[in-house]
Amino acid sequence: MHIDWRICLAAAAALALTLALAAWLTPRAWWRRPNLRALGVLGGGTLAFGALFLALLGRPPAPAPAALADLQAPPSASRPAPGARYLVIDDLNLRDANGVRSQRVAVLRAGSAVVATGSTDGDWWQVRARIDGQAREGWASSLWLRRADERR
């Protein structure tokens, strides 16, 4: 993790300026005991002057693209492999299209096995399942699916 020197410098200068101005411009009685008013003056002044100083010093550089790539989830975590087996963890609607407003095709009972086709749209996965002896294909919310080899 990299902390930019501009942010540290702006925060330190803003706090120092706020303390100096607060001591000079406010009544001495305000500072005898810590209170919310004093905290508000220090916090608000530091925030305002810090934003001003950061604007004067310039923006910190954006993170490198490689650093952003490290933050993204690996493709295997977001997309099921075609043919991968999953178990339904609670009763789940199998729908003809993705989304809760789509027509329900069937209900997959908890413990049912499904096979991913590999097609996804956000949290919605297209799956195949055998329901009452018939092969059915539809869309299901991946939030209710677990890998067949995953323990609860």
Side-chain angles (χ1 to χ4, degrees):
M1 178 178 209
H2 175 71
I3 298 175
D4 191 18
W5 63 269
R6 287 172 255 206
I7 296 172
C8 295
L9 181 65
L15 180 61
L17 181 61
T18 302
L19 285 171
L21 287 175
W24 185 49
L25 297 173
T26 58
R28 193 175 287 279
W30 280 21
W31 304 100
R32 288 200 179 120
R33 278 185 300 179
N35 57 41
L36 287 177
R37 179 177 36 205
L39 184 63
V41 168
L42 287 178
T46 303
L47 184 65
F49 287 126
L52 176 69
F53 292 151
L54 273 177
L56 293 174
L57 291 172
R59 294 186 82 133
L68 290 176
D70 293 341
L71 297 175
Q72 296 173 349
S76 60
S78 60
R79 289 194 75 131
R85 292 179 46 87
Y86 294 87
L87 295 177
V88 177
I89 60 170
D90 201 1
D91 290 354
L92 176 63
N93 291 327
L94 185 67
R95 298 188 179 273
D96 65 352
N98 61 338
V100 294
R101 292 200 167 104
S102 299
Q103 183 69 34
R104 182 174 55 195
V105 175
V107 175
L108 300 169
R109 298 289 172 212
S112 301
V114 298
V115 177
T117 65
S119 296
T120 64
D121 186 7
D123 287 335
W124 291 89
W125 293 358
Q126 189 177 34
V127 296
R128 288 188 199 105
R130 188 160 288 282
I131 302 168
D132 297 329
Q134 295 181 6
R136 292 301 226 1
E137 187 172 296
W139 290 82
S141 172
S142 64
L143 301 175
W144 301 103
L145 301 176
R146 298 290 180 266
R147 287 188 328 262
D149 62 347
E150 183 179 337
R151 297 222 183 246
R152 278 182 101 169

